[in-house]
Amino acid sequence: MASHNDVKKLLKKLDVIPSILARLAPAEDTLIHEFASLCLAYLSVEYTSKVQIFELDGLDTLIRLLSSPDPDVKKNSLECIYQLVQDFPSRAAIRELNGIPPLLELLKSEYPVIQQLALKTLATITHDAETRLAHRENQGFEQLIEILGNNELNDLHVETLVVVSNCMEDMDTVQLIQQTGGLDKLLQLAETSTLPEVQMNAAKAITNTAQSNENRKILHEQEVEKTLVTLLRVAHDGLRTAACQAIAIMCENLASKDEFRKLAGIQPIVQLLNSENAEVKKAAALALSNLTNANHLNANAVIEAEGTEALVQLLTDQMVGAVAYAADVLTNMCTQEALRSSILAQGAMQALTEALCSTDSLVLSKVVLAVAALACDSDARTELRNVGGLVPLVKLLNSKNDEVRRNACWAVLVCASDEPTTIEMCRLGALNILQEIHLSTSRKNNFSEAALQRLFDSNLSIKYSFTGCLSSSNKITDGFYDYGKVKPDHKMITLEELYKQKVNQHRPVVFLNAKPPEPALTELPPVENKSPDSPGGRSPTPSKNSNKDKTPSKGKSKGKKEEEKTKEEEEIKIPQEVIVEKKQWLLPYDPIFHSLITNVTKSVLPLPNTKEQVVALAVFVAEKMGGPVERDRLHEFFWELHVSELKFQLQSNVIPIGQIKKGTFYHRALLFKALADRIGINCSLVRGEYNRAWNEVLLADEVPKAPGKLFPPKAYAVDLMHSPGHLMKKNSPEAIQYQCI
């Protein structure tokens, strides 16, 4: 009756457990023991009953009954013990009460149900390390190996392997099983058994054994790789999953990685990526992730097995783990330049972009790293922009997960290797987010600092606008433009967008471009009718002689001419439309700036030392920008009017620096920096307030009475406005006066 739920509830209310335990006393009859133990077995299913039995020292009584001469009493007592050891206190208690020897003795029972219950109980309690030690001291492992070697007991092999799997987590047990030949039996059983469940548990035992480096070495010596590759070919999802998991953990041993490849084990794992079973796909991706980690030969083997397409498809799978491990494999493969193009051709960037929208932190951290690995090439970065991948990537900079945020910073650092990608990320707010992270003590990391600096260094126009400073290592090139000082939350736009804006009242943008336009692409030859006299040509209309041979009717001749005319018009129209589509905006060439570079190369560069070059260049720049202006007469130097006239003349807010004939501080400092970079003079460019800007150079003075020896270099600000070529020590009163109003 205790098996009925309503009766159980009533018995609990009556508090019958103490009375039942009293009936298990040695003095009671065996028949009473049988039914009392059966009643406890039913009641022990519920947690409250298990607690009460344990608190009333019922476990000691049940262990004593395991030695009862009646098999039913043994079975019932064992079933109750099995329920009790599901809780941790009972597991420790059964060891302290010396309950392991009677459990091992029951393995020799002639009743399979008792043997199976004993094995299940051992499988539960051997999760505890101290219990495993007691089990080994009582020669329990030898009994398990004996069962595995007996084919007549194959119905017990599954449960036995579970216990073996737990026991093999200990190094001492592994050494013992190796010395006694039990490991050979285990591997042989895994390969030859006809029961997939047995093979699956054998693979799980290998997985547990391989948790330590020493155990992995032992397994490698036993050629466990051959066994695992064999198991991959068995058509059983659970077994394949267990085999892939074992392969994944064995890959911690470098020799095993290469051995799996030599045994052609990568091909079947790649095929499992297309399995309909989600767990199989996840385990296969995990195995490939570990196989390809820091192993180029295995990565190549995945490509040869045509695994790229399957991995890319797996990025859109519903199982979180499968997506994460697939991204991990792609990251490992992307370390080779030759493989990146193959991965990109399979649409990997589109799939990664979709995965960037996941809500799982593990997936996001792995996928972001894959994006970073693939984005090493310019083509991949272009595709990332085209598929919209920069939008979710920049959003991940705000992730609350430290690892995701750190990896996102790394990806931004990699992607900011070209100007278009840098500008797009800045438009999406990456610069602002990184600046916020930089100011935070908890969110800041090494990658965030490097990413912020890379965004600046990849586009000096943006760096100068936001920071107001370019160091001597920041070399200005063609395409640089001075947008002016911007606020941290401002989003800059490209020079092309600025150029296409209508003329407005805002501060003009000054740009540099000394690169002559490239020769125009060869135009398609115009379609024209060739005359009869042209060589190699044939007249589109029949000649007189031909008319004599065949005279067409007037209506037919007129219709033919109209048809040919229409065809000619279409032939001419199609190429023209194609040319229009390929036309793109090009930065206007500044020939005056080009000539300035040529002049300073000839006149300034040959000077004997850096100081003379700096002075000569300063004088040159001042002359081209309206000459020196006295401090007291700055208000009479109408540079604003000149610049406004240029804007009106060019009908643009963007002005080439070469056309500026009257320039103030920031015009002259920019031109000085641009020309100095072209001829190899190291100098910085610093923006001040109210249109002020200046250049700083490092110069070393010669030591008196010691020709050839120099003092340590000192920083000087270069006067380009009042006394061109005058050098002022940094932070000196005259330098500060030059930099401020």
Side-chain angles (χ1 to χ4, degrees), residues 482-483 506-510 643-644 647 652-655 666-667:
D482 182 6
Y483 185 76
H506 295 303
R507 174 188 184 277
V509 176
V510 181
V643 172
S644 298
K647 286 176 62 177
S652 174
N653 297 312
V654 179
I655 299 175
Y666 77 90
H667 296 127

Side-chain angles (χ1 to χ4, degrees), residues 496 500 521 577-586:
E496 179 181 354
K500 293 178 179 179
L521 296 174
E577 290 176 352
V578 173
I579 293 172
V580 170
E581 289 178 359
K582 292 184 178 179
K583 187 177 181 181
Q584 61 180 2
W585 180 82
L586 296 175

Side-chain angles (χ1 to χ4, degrees), residues 317-488:
D317 197 82
Q318 297 298 319
M319 173 157 279
V320 169
V323 177
Y325 296 134
D328 222 6
V329 179
L330 293 174
T331 301
N332 296 337
M333 295 168 65
C334 284
T335 57
Q336 300 182 68
E337 184 178 358
L339 303 187
R340 289 200 291 269
S341 58
S342 173
I343 295 170
L344 194 63
Q346 295 293 337
M349 200 59 83
Q350 176 68 50
L352 288 171
T353 298
E354 295 176 10
L356 285 174
C357 300
S358 172
T359 56
D360 185 81
S361 298
L362 176 63
V363 170
L364 290 174
S365 64
K366 298 293 185 181
V367 169
V368 169
L369 285 180
V371 170
L374 194 57
C376 292
D377 301 325
S378 59
D379 291 342
R381 292 192 294 272
T382 301
E383 186 169 346
L384 181 62
R385 294 196 306 271
N386 293 338
V387 299
L390 292 179
V391 176
L393 177 60
V394 171
K395 288 182 179 178
L396 290 178
L397 292 174
N398 278 322
S399 174
K400 295 181 180 179
N401 184 280
D402 291 340
E403 185 177 0
V404 173
R405 184 173 59 253
R406 183 171 58 252
N407 292 349
C409 290
W410 167 248
V412 169
L413 172 65
V414 173
C415 291
S417 299
D418 56 52
E419 185 174 347
T421 308
T422 302
I423 292 175
E424 182 63 20
M425 289 193 293
C426 290
R427 282 172 56 85
L428 295 171
L431 197 57
N432 299 333
I433 298 173
L434 288 171
Q435 286 176 319
E436 292 175 3
I437 294 175
H438 184 70
L439 298 174
S440 171
T441 55
S442 59
R443 302 168 62 201
K444 183 178 178 181
N445 58 73
N446 293 335
F447 290 153
S448 66
E449 295 181 27
L452 179 61
Q453 191 60 41
R454 175 65 66 84
L455 282 179
F456 284 146
D457 291 341
S458 297
N459 193 314
L460 297 181
S461 302
I462 292 177
K463 181 176 183 178
Y464 188 49
S465 293
F466 276 96
T467 66
C469 181
L470 294 180
S471 67
S472 58
S473 61
N474 298 137
K475 304 300 182 183
I476 292 178
T477 58
D478 294 323
F480 178 88
Y481 62 100
D482 182 6
Y483 185 76
K485 185 178 181 180
V486 296
K487 297 179 179 179

Side-chain angles (χ1 to χ4, degrees), residues 13-46:
K13 289 181 179 180
L14 296 174
D15 194 21
V16 298
I17 290 179
S19 301
I20 296 174
L21 288 173
R23 302 284 80 77
L24 294 175
E28 296 288 345
D29 188 77
T30 302
L31 184 63
I32 295 177
H33 286 173
E34 177 184 348
F35 287 102
S37 60
L38 179 61
C39 187
L40 277 183
Y42 284 128
L43 292 174
S44 63
V45 175
E46 294 187 356

